[in-house]
Amino acid sequence: MKILITSALPYVNNIPHLGNIIGCVLSADVYARYKRLNKDDVLYICGTDEYGTATETKAKEQNMTPRDICNKYHKIHKEIYEWFNIKFDIFGRTSNDDPKDVNWSQTKLCHDIFNKLKDNNLIYEKEIEQLFSEDLNKFCADRYIKGTCPVCNYDDANGDQCDKCGKLHAATELINPYYKLDPKFKLVKKKTSHLFLKLSELQNELKNWYNKNDGSWTNIADGITKSWLNDDLHDRCITRDLEWGTPVPDTKKFGNKFKNKVFYVWFDAPIGYISITANKLNNWTNWWKNEDVKLVNFMAKDNVPFHSIIFPACLIGTKDNYNLVNTIAAVDYLNYEDKKFSKSNNTGVFGDDAKNSGICSDMWRFYLIRVRPETNDSFFTWNDFEAKVNSELVNNFSNLVNRILVLTYKNFKKIPEIKDMNLYEELNNEYENYLNLYRSNMDKIKLREGLVNFIQFSSECNLFINNYEPWNLIKIDKEKCEQVLGILCNFLIKLSVLGLPFIPDCCNKIQSILNINCNDYIFDINKFVGSELNKPDILFKRMSKDKLDELKNKFN
């Protein structure tokens, strides 16, 4: 099967924090690695989302051009994801030096989708009120505005969406709105013309499409989408008064009156999945206009409406045979201790912090997947980080690996042949049970539960080695010891495959010591017999209390 995996495009104006990383790019990487183990034809697409207000704001703060900001943070994002061992097939970007360049895929595809929506009478012009700054002599984009949410009364809501309740709104609907860069600036409501998408006309088609989904969406994605579709959908404004963005094209219908406006980032950004593919692949339509492709989106819950309502509506409205998402794998939020991650308040651990922590990427990957917020909000805490890494990854798994490899290398130097099938089946029955659970959970994108199954089978292997004590058995029955270690080497290979999506560096190292190359968890038991082992090395060391205290003091 062809599986197209997208991860919500990270916004380019900041450094990603651990919640961003597990919410989209790391989760998608784990799933992509798993699907490749199943021999599926996988394409994993991501890139930085670079247009819009936040980029303009950051550029002004740092006295740089928007393009320079994009170049700076695209590089930072790319380096952080590479350190986390996230293997994109394509990691691109939405902007280029000249957004007006019609040969740039993002501009070209945005214009094409817009023109098809227009030709299908799904775009119209409307005069609306927006907040205007007389001090700046211009309309203020939504993200420059803060105020009190009209729905939940949260007093720090953004101008387009409330971070607390998740509801979308216009900046003019905020209670006591203010210009966040300088609250002293006076804001007044003023009329201006914008272009709107007739989302209301697409509601029935959206419902029909959604009702055909195969039940693979996560609960949070389902719940948010149903709440939107159960209400009347309102038409959405798709243009903004900004300089940095994909420009609105001249058209016969609207003339050039929108030449100084750009597309709203939530119309523009999801098209980036397609344009990033098109920038690298000549046959991009084989992935985006092909009914044999399954499309899976990874994101945090605040991005769901744009991927389950607005973007599918735009693609449906083109009548151009685009693939629509089959599965939305959305998660809740990962919080830091008892707070939200916040770069502005210096709260939490960010990607560059993890990279410079002295702790290897596999440990970070393991813990983030272990606390992935699959059913509700979860929390990163330093004490829990230490407890789970030391007990599950080090004591359970790493110590098991070390005991098997050291004993086998010391006494036999190679992977022994398995002859005692009764002894083999004693552990294989447990393996088959956990393998079925693992595959079921991973197929359902319950990645946290898949990792738990991996650790549970590691525990079964620990029970097996403790029961037969090969360190003592070698002294009294070398032949039996050889069988025990041959069986354990066999299941260690299988563990190294099951763990590849989660802790790839570690699992590749295990296979390197065993002097094998395997990416299949079902193989003939004696396939690798006789492979001469390389000298074992410890995979992970316990996180010390001194190290934990050092990190706690640094980030708290």
Side-chain angles (χ1 to χ4, degrees):
M1 177 183 285
K2 291 172 80 73
I3 299 181
L4 177 58
I5 298 171
T6 70
S7 159
L9 304 183
Y11 208 85
V12 80
N13 75 316
N14 227 325
I15 298 171
H17 57 64
L18 297 185
N20 301 139
I21 290 167
I22 188 57
C24 49
V25 293
L26 177 54
S27 292
D29 176 71
V30 171
Y31 184 69
R33 287 175 183 271
Y34 167 71
K35 283 299 177 184
R36 291 189 186 103
L37 289 179
N38 287 349
K39 307 300 185 286
D40 289 311
D41 186 5
V42 173
L43 186 69
Y44 176 20
I45 300 295
C46 191
T48 42
D49 174 12
E50 301 190 353
Y51 288 134
T53 310
T55 304
E56 280 194 7
T57 304
K58 181 66 73 172
K60 288 178 180 178
E61 288 174 358
Q62 299 192 8
N63 196 27
M64 298 170 70
T65 68
R67 179 60 174 173
D68 287 341
I69 283 289
C70 293
N71 290 340
K72 173 183 175 179
Y73 282 97
H74 175 81
K75 182 174 183 290
I76 290 171
H77 276 259
K78 193 169 185 294
E79 289 172 349
I80 287 170
Y81 302 143
E82 285 174 352
W83 184 83
F84 271 95
N85 215 346
I86 294 166
K87 299 294 185 186
F88 307 105
D89 291 297
I90 303 173
F91 185 74
R93 52 197 309 191
T94 56
S95 84
N96 72 344
D97 290 339
D98 181 12
K100 295 180 181 179
D101 180 2
V102 294
N103 293 316
W104 176 241
S105 291
Q106 181 71 9
T107 304
K108 186 176 182 179
L109 283 163
C110 279
H111 285 184
D112 182 66
I113 289 171
F114 167 77
N115 283 324
K116 287 187 168 89
L117 290 168
K118 170 184 63 66
D119 293 344
N120 293 331
N121 295 314
L122 291 168
I123 302 290
Y124 65 93
E125 178 183 352
K126 180 182 176 182
E127 190 176 64
I128 62 171
E129 281 190 333
Q130 279 193 289
L131 294 176
F132 184 86
S133 168
E134 294 177 341
D135 299 90
L136 298 169
N137 193 32
K138 70 175 186 179
F139 289 98
C140 295
D142 295 342
R143 281 281 167 169
Y144 286 115
I145 304 300
K146 288 276 193 178
T148 301
C149 175
V151 177
C152 70
N153 289 319
Y154 178 56
D155 62 5
D156 194 35
N158 293 314
D160 56 354
Q161 184 179 23
C162 176
D163 285 340
K164 185 174 182 181
C165 70
K167 295 293 185 182
L168 302 181
H169 50 245
T172 51
E173 297 177 278
L174 287 174
I175 302 166
N176 299 322
Y178 62 90
Y179 183 63
K180 71 176 186 179
L181 298 185
D182 194 334
K184 296 190 298 295
F185 285 2
K186 182 182 178 183
L187 298 177
V188 296
K189 292 180 181 179
K190 192 173 180 179
K191 290 185 177 180
T192 181
S193 290
H194 278 284
L195 295 173
F196 279 71
L197 170 69
K198 292 182 182 177
L199 199 57
S200 55
E201 286 195 16
L202 292 161
Q203 181 154 1
N204 288 336
E205 287 183 82
L206 273 172
K207 279 186 175 179
N208 290 337
W209 159 71
Y210 170 76
N211 289 334
K212 293 176 184 175
N213 88 63
D214 62 4
S216 63
W217 293 30
T218 57
N219 289 337
I220 188 71
D222 256 332
I224 291 170
T225 304
K226 285 176 182 175
S227 71
W228 275 66
L229 290 176
N230 288 338
D231 290 334
D232 291 334
L233 293 181
H234 301 291
D235 298 344
R236 306 296 304 180
C237 181
I238 62 168
T239 53
R240 288 293 186 270
D241 291 289
L242 290 171
E243 298 171 6
W244 184 242
T246 302
V248 178
D250 294 345
T251 65
K252 185 176 180 181
K253 183 173 183 179
F254 302 116
N256 66 355
K257 65 188 299 182
F258 294 96
K259 66 179 181 180
N260 293 324
K261 297 183 191 288
V262 301
F263 286 117
Y264 177 38
V265 69
W266 276 114
F267 174 82
D268 173 277
I271 296 171
Y273 300 128
I274 308 172
S275 74
I276 287 168
T277 312
N279 276 331
K280 293 292 183 181
L281 301 180
N282 291 328
N283 64 340
W284 67 270
T285 55
N286 287 348
W287 290 96
W288 285 101
K289 295 183 180 181
N290 180 352
E291 63 182 12
D292 293 329
V293 172
K294 179 181 179 181
L295 174 58
V296 184
N297 293 162
F298 283 81
M299 69 199 67
K301 60 186 175 183
D302 56 328
N303 284 341
V304 169
F306 306 107
H307 290 79
S308 69
I309 302 292
I310 297 172
F311 187 44
C314 291
L315 297 182
I316 289 170
T318 65
K319 303 187 186 302
D320 200 16
N321 199 36
Y322 277 105
N323 288 355
L324 302 179
V325 62
N326 298 96
T327 299
I328 293 185
V331 293
D332 286 277
Y333 294 139
L334 176 70
N335 296 308
Y336 178 73
E337 299 286 349
D338 58 348
K339 311 176 190 72
K340 285 187 175 183
F341 282 91
S342 171
K343 192 69 177 178
S344 58
N345 295 327
N346 199 30
T347 302
V349 181
F350 287 72
D352 54 344
D353 298 322
K355 182 180 174 184
N356 297 322
S357 67
I359 298 172
C360 70
S361 62
D362 269 0
M363 281 186 166
W364 287 103
R365 286 177 65 105
F366 175 87
Y367 182 69
L368 290 175
I369 300 158
R370 189 66 180 81
V371 295
R372 184 173 184 258
E374 293 183 354
T375 53
N376 46 44
D377 288 355
S378 63
F379 298 86
F380 174 98
T381 73
W382 288 108
N383 288 339
D384 191 52
F385 183 40
E386 178 200 25
K388 284 188 168 60
V389 165
N390 283 345
S391 65
E392 297 179 0
L393 187 60
V394 180
N395 291 355
N396 183 321
F397 180 65
S398 181
N399 285 353
L400 168 73
V401 174
N402 190 56
R403 289 196 289 176
I404 295 170
L405 293 177
V406 167
L407 286 166
T408 306
Y409 180 79
K410 178 182 177 181
N411 294 291
F412 301 103
K413 293 291 189 294
K414 61 185 180 181
I415 298 176
E417 181 181 1
I418 298 171
K419 299 174 183 177
D420 188 340
M421 293 308 299
N422 289 330
L423 189 60
Y424 172 82
E425 287 300 328
E426 187 178 316
L427 190 53
N428 190 54
N429 290 333
E430 295 294 338
Y431 173 70
E432 293 292 340
N433 289 335
Y434 282 112
L435 176 61
N436 290 334
L437 288 170
Y438 171 90
R439 295 182 75 172
S440 174
N441 282 320
M442 296 296 280
D443 283 333
K444 294 173 184 175
I445 319 184
K446 295 181 178 180
L447 310 180
R448 183 181 66 198
E449 297 307 310
L451 178 59
V452 168
N453 300 144
F454 164 78
I455 291 298
Q456 287 171 327
F457 182 65
S458 174
S459 297
E460 293 296 333
C461 291
N462 273 303
L463 289 174
F464 185 88
I465 195 172
N466 290 338
N467 186 38
Y468 286 99
E469 299 182 335
W471 49 89
N472 290 326
L473 195 59
I474 190 67
K475 302 170 188 174
I476 57 175
D477 190 341
K478 184 173 182 180
E479 187 176 335
K480 180 72 175 284
C481 180
E482 185 178 28
Q483 287 302 291
V484 169
L485 290 175
I487 290 166
L488 284 167
C489 282
N490 184 276
F491 286 104
L492 179 55
I493 296 169
K494 292 179 179 181
L495 272 169
S496 76
V497 176
L498 295 178
L500 270 172
F502 312 117
I503 46 175
D505 282 344
C506 163
C507 291
N508 284 323
K509 186 174 181 181
I510 292 169
Q511 295 197 11
S512 177
I513 294 170
L514 289 165
N515 202 16
I516 64 157
N517 184 13
C518 182
N519 61 359
D520 196 340
Y521 29 60
I522 301 174
F523 55 85
D524 179 78
I525 61 171
N526 284 318
K527 180 177 180 179
F528 299 106
V529 163
S531 175
E532 294 188 3
L533 272 62
N534 293 308
K535 187 175 181 180
D537 190 17
I538 294 174
L539 299 177
F540 301 109
K541 293 181 180 178
R542 285 179 60 85
M543 192 186 305
S544 68
K545 185 179 184 303
D546 287 345
K547 182 64 176 177
L548 182 70
D549 289 343
E550 173 195 331
L551 293 169
K552 277 183 178 179
N553 292 334
K554 181 177 179 181
F555 293 104
N556 289 339

